[in-house]
Amino acid sequence: MKVIVFGATGSLGAHVVKSLLAKGHSVTGFSRSVPNGADGDGITMLRGDVLNQVDVQRAVTGQDAVVCALGAGMKGEIRTKGTETIVKAMKATGVKRLICLSSLGVGDSEPVLNFWWRWVMFGLLLRATFADHHGQEAVVRQSGLDWTIVRPSAFQDGDPLGEYHVGDLREVQGKLALKIRRADVADFMVGQVDNAQFLHQSPSLSY
């Protein structure tokens, strides 16, 4: 499949690109900063602004699926506003499948968080980031697209472990590490590109 990754040079997006290539997909990476020599076998890197409708629509044209792995950026509410641009481009070009990165704790997954994450991290230190995730999810849910929202717990580095809790984690709350490696998240997201198991759902991921 032809898959475009928004946020392709970010800490999670780079893992998504690697996983897509390993599974034989044709990949387009979209980022505001593209290093020299980034193109290679099976991948084309595009430099652009995710808030620029022309840039995004041109990049989405001809794709089979979109992976949105946007980071916080420097402009504020980049996830919400950038996802709005992506959704408009997908509707204009007829691309339907959207896999979108969010965060554990958003929406009905909030009870899964412990005191530290709920009240200190997201309630105080990362309050704006948390609000941006909520806004982004609202855009996706109202899009009319074939979406899946992925809600990982706190990121770790390292090779994928391949075993983790997935789905509605409220039944196992209190037993979770509330951590997961980026490589496992990326592999899960890539696995949803041509899989309808979690269509119109928001599975959470955690060890």
Side-chain angles (χ1 to χ4, degrees):
M1 294 178 67
K2 295 180 180 179
V3 184
I4 184 167
V5 181
F6 287 91
T9 59
S11 65
L12 192 281
H15 283 282
V16 172
V17 168
K18 180 179 179 181
S19 183
L20 283 166
L21 292 173
K23 291 176 172 58
H25 297 287
S26 178
V27 183
T28 299
F30 186 101
S31 176
R32 64 179 180 274
S33 59
V34 177
N36 292 330
D39 287 0
D41 291 340
I43 182 169
T44 299
M45 293 296 296
L46 301 177
R47 181 184 288 109
D49 183 353
V50 74
L51 302 182
N52 184 304
Q53 195 68 51
V54 174
D55 286 354
V56 173
Q57 188 161 319
R58 183 183 297 119
V60 167
T61 300
Q63 304 292 335
D64 298 311
V66 172
V67 175
C68 178
L70 295 176
M74 300 296 291
K75 299 182 179 181
E77 297 185 343
I78 191 68
R79 294 182 180 92
T80 301
K81 294 177 181 177
T83 303
E84 286 177 345
T85 309
I86 292 168
V87 166
K88 289 178 182 177
M90 292 179 69
K91 289 182 174 181
T93 58
V95 181
K96 296 289 290 182
R97 189 66 172 123
L98 173 62
I99 315 299
C100 186
L101 177 69
S102 183
S103 174
L104 184 67
V106 179
D108 60 9
S109 69
E110 182 179 4
V112 178
L113 299 180
N114 58 24
F115 178 88
W116 173 258
W117 277 103
R118 185 183 302 181
W119 300 110
V120 179
M121 293 301 290
F122 288 143
L124 181 63
L125 300 178
L126 298 176
R127 191 171 182 176
T129 297
F130 199 50
D132 195 15
H133 278 303
H134 275 281
Q136 180 186 40
E137 286 203 10
V139 170
V140 173
R141 292 177 183 280
Q142 296 164 13
S143 67
L145 300 172
D146 296 336
W147 56 266
T148 297
I149 294 170
V150 179
R151 295 169 169 169
S153 48
F155 287 146
Q156 289 182 317
D157 294 323
D159 294 332
L161 299 181
E163 294 184 4
Y164 45 85
H165 298 281
V166 56
D168 184 344
L169 303 187
R170 287 175 290 182
E171 295 181 358
V172 291
Q173 65 188 77
K175 302 177 182 179
L176 302 169
L178 297 182
K179 297 179 180 179
I180 192 164
R181 295 185 179 183
R182 290 177 177 86
D184 275 324
V185 178
D187 285 347
F188 178 81
M189 292 180 73
V190 170
Q192 306 314 304
V193 167
D194 53 2
N195 184 342
Q197 179 182 3
F198 292 102
L199 184 66
H200 296 153
Q201 297 183 49
S202 307
S204 299
L205 310 179
S206 182
Y207 297 138

